[in-house]
Amino acid sequence: MNDMKSTGPEPAGKRFRAARIFSVPDDVKFLDTLELTRLSEAFSAWTDRAGRPDVAVSRNRVRLIFLLLRHTGARLGEVLALNDRMDVNLDNLSVMLGGGDGEGREVQIPAELGDALGAVFEDPAYGSLRGMLFKLDQGHVRRKFYERAEECGFTKELVNPSTIRRSRAVELLRDDVPLPVVQRILGHSTADLTAAFLHLPEDQRRKVERQVLTRETRRTSARNAFFGRVAQVQKGDIQSRVVVESLGGHAVSSVITNESIKNLGVTEGCFVTAEIKAPWVVLETCAEMPRATATNRFLGEVELVRLGELTSEVIVALSDGTRLCALITTKSARELELAAGQKVWAMFNAFAVVLHME
């Protein structure tokens, strides 16, 4: 869950990336992006398991508190003090934190969290709670956090609100967010000496923040793309096999040259996006996993079939919501009798997977 990994110097002519040399000391506890996603899913599943409407409301309030901590890096006290009527602006997707005794700071949130908050604001079941939606007992919130930690196999220390705050800071820094922006998001009064030599105008800070949130949204919504952590690098004499563990738990294999491994700085534990072009995705309608030379085989459900004169586009949704677009001949689409809702295997060769460093 923690690592001290850093890579060597940037090749000549390449853009300098702080994330390439950024490392975290072994004694600093934090959750990486995949682990934070697992925790988010645990909160969603817990909320969905509620047997009564009032229990669902109670659990969803805790879930929203977690999501605010996870995406803003706020202190628990700051989130619990939020007035959902005055401090949450869904028009520009932002929340105002720490405004009680000072001027406060505006922090932007991803569109997905904005949608979740908007749905709650419009739900009559939460009507009597408006203005104090997040005002829950700290002890109660922490207990629910620890319960979700146990479900995920994490220690209590790793889901402490301060650890989640630290995890967001690490995530942002690894995303090449300038230190002054991270300092501003977290509401730190000081940073290290580096911050003293950097200045970022407020409009530029907002732009960087929004770019990061947009990039994070693309990781979970883009077609034919799996964002995740490199779980294994198997070196060969000319090429290497790279296995990527995606946010949704899929293992995607890619074979690339050793030179590309070096130039990209791919190492076990780093984060990459694995992409596949639509013409390389092959579909099969058999019930069992097909015997094929394609290394990557995923069971999904046909979401859309768009028939053309010669070629057709088929969208397949995997279990975690990842969507694969396959471009096949219209003759093949008709022979397979593809239709929305149908179970189908989407397959592609490891040589067709292109890796992009995050």
Side-chain angles (χ1 to χ4, degrees):
M1 297 172 192
N2 302 347
D3 67 88
M4 277 286 291
K5 293 180 181 177
S6 61
T7 61
E10 283 283 296
K14 297 280 186 176
R15 181 175 69 89
F16 173 77
R17 296 186 64 211
R20 287 289 185 89
I21 61 171
F22 177 68
S23 62
V24 183
D26 288 333
D27 60 347
V28 174
K29 305 297 181 184
F30 69 97
L31 296 170
D32 64 28
T33 303
L34 290 180
E35 291 162 342
L36 287 167
T37 300
R38 283 175 57 194
L39 199 53
S40 298
E41 292 171 348
F43 272 102
S44 295
W46 173 62
T47 302
D48 292 341
R49 291 196 302 268
R52 303 197 316 264
D54 59 326
V55 175
V57 168
S58 177
R59 292 184 177 185
N60 199 34
R61 293 173 71 188
V62 177
R63 182 182 76 95
L64 291 175
I65 289 171
F66 165 76
L67 291 176
L68 283 166
L69 290 172
R70 185 258 179 276
H71 289 292
T72 67
R75 302 172 181 86
L76 178 57
E78 291 178 322
V79 173
L80 298 184
L82 284 174
N83 183 321
D84 53 279
R85 289 188 181 277
M86 300 176 58
D87 299 328
V88 179
N89 188 329
L90 295 183
D91 291 332
N92 66 1
L93 291 175
S94 67
V95 294
M96 184 63 69
L97 296 165
D101 300 322
E103 63 178 57
R105 66 187 188 282
E106 184 183 38
V107 177
Q108 297 188 56
I109 59 175
E112 185 178 0
L113 176 53
D115 291 341
L117 290 169
V120 165
F121 294 169
E122 295 176 2
D123 191 335
Y126 297 85
S128 63
L129 298 171
R130 291 304 310 275
M132 54 182 183
L133 182 65
F134 308 113
K135 299 189 185 305
L136 294 176
D137 176 68
Q138 281 205 25
H140 171 74
V141 172
R142 291 176 186 272
R143 284 193 297 274
K144 298 309 173 185
F145 277 31
Y146 297 154
E147 289 173 6
R148 305 290 78 69
E150 186 174 357
E151 291 177 1
C152 294
F154 300 150
T155 63
K156 290 182 178 180
E157 183 182 19
L158 283 172
V159 296
N160 187 294
S162 61
T163 304
I164 296 172
R165 172 175 163 83
R166 186 184 308 120
S167 300
R168 182 55 173 163
V170 171
E171 187 176 45
L172 291 170
L173 289 170
R174 283 180 165 172
D175 259 338
D176 286 335
V177 179
L179 182 57
V181 177
V182 179
Q183 178 185 351
R184 178 71 170 76
I185 291 173
L186 269 64
H188 286 156
S189 58
T190 61
D192 62 21
L193 292 176
T194 307
F197 297 98
L198 298 173
H199 172 68
L200 209 62
E202 183 67 14
D203 61 334
Q204 290 298 311
R205 180 192 68 78
R206 288 171 179 266
K207 182 178 179 181
V208 170
E209 229 181 304
R210 180 50 55 192
Q211 286 176 339
V212 171
L213 291 173
T214 300
R215 186 166 63 201
E216 290 178 337
T217 300
R218 283 203 303 267
R219 289 173 181 168
T220 56
S221 62
R223 290 180 182 176
N224 292 34
F226 296 83
F227 171 75
R229 176 176 53 197
V230 174
Q232 181 185 11
V233 177
Q234 184 180 359
K235 283 289 186 71
D237 54 348
I238 298 175
Q239 295 176 308
S240 294
R241 176 172 173 262
V242 180
V243 179
V244 179
E245 179 189 357
S246 77
L247 288 178
H250 300 296
V252 181
S253 292
S254 173
V255 174
I256 61 176
T257 65
N258 291 339
E259 183 179 2
S260 295
I261 290 278
K262 180 179 179 181
N263 290 340
L264 289 172
V266 175
T267 59
E268 291 183 2
C270 72
F271 287 86
V272 299
T273 297
E275 294 186 352
I276 313 93
K277 290 188 176 181
W280 292 103
V281 180
V282 178
L283 302 180
E284 179 59 70
T285 56
C286 57
E288 301 295 330
M289 179 182 289
R291 298 179 64 183
T293 57
T295 309
N296 301 289
R297 286 166 282 180
F298 304 104
L299 180 62
E301 184 175 293
V302 175
E303 189 174 75
L304 174 69
V305 178
R306 186 177 288 112
L307 296 175
E309 186 175 339
L310 295 176
T311 60
S312 296
E313 183 183 68
V314 182
I315 306 299
V316 178
L318 304 188
S319 58
D320 67 326
T322 298
R323 282 163 175 75
L324 290 176
C325 175
L327 191 60
I328 63 176
T329 65
T330 299
K331 179 182 177 182
S332 295
R334 289 194 170 118
E335 287 176 349
L336 290 173
E337 299 180 342
L338 296 175
Q342 181 181 1
K343 293 294 182 181
V344 67
W345 288 91
M347 304 177 290
F348 47 90
N349 200 288
F351 292 94
V353 180
V354 179
L355 300 182
H356 301 280
M357 287 297 294
E358 287 295 313

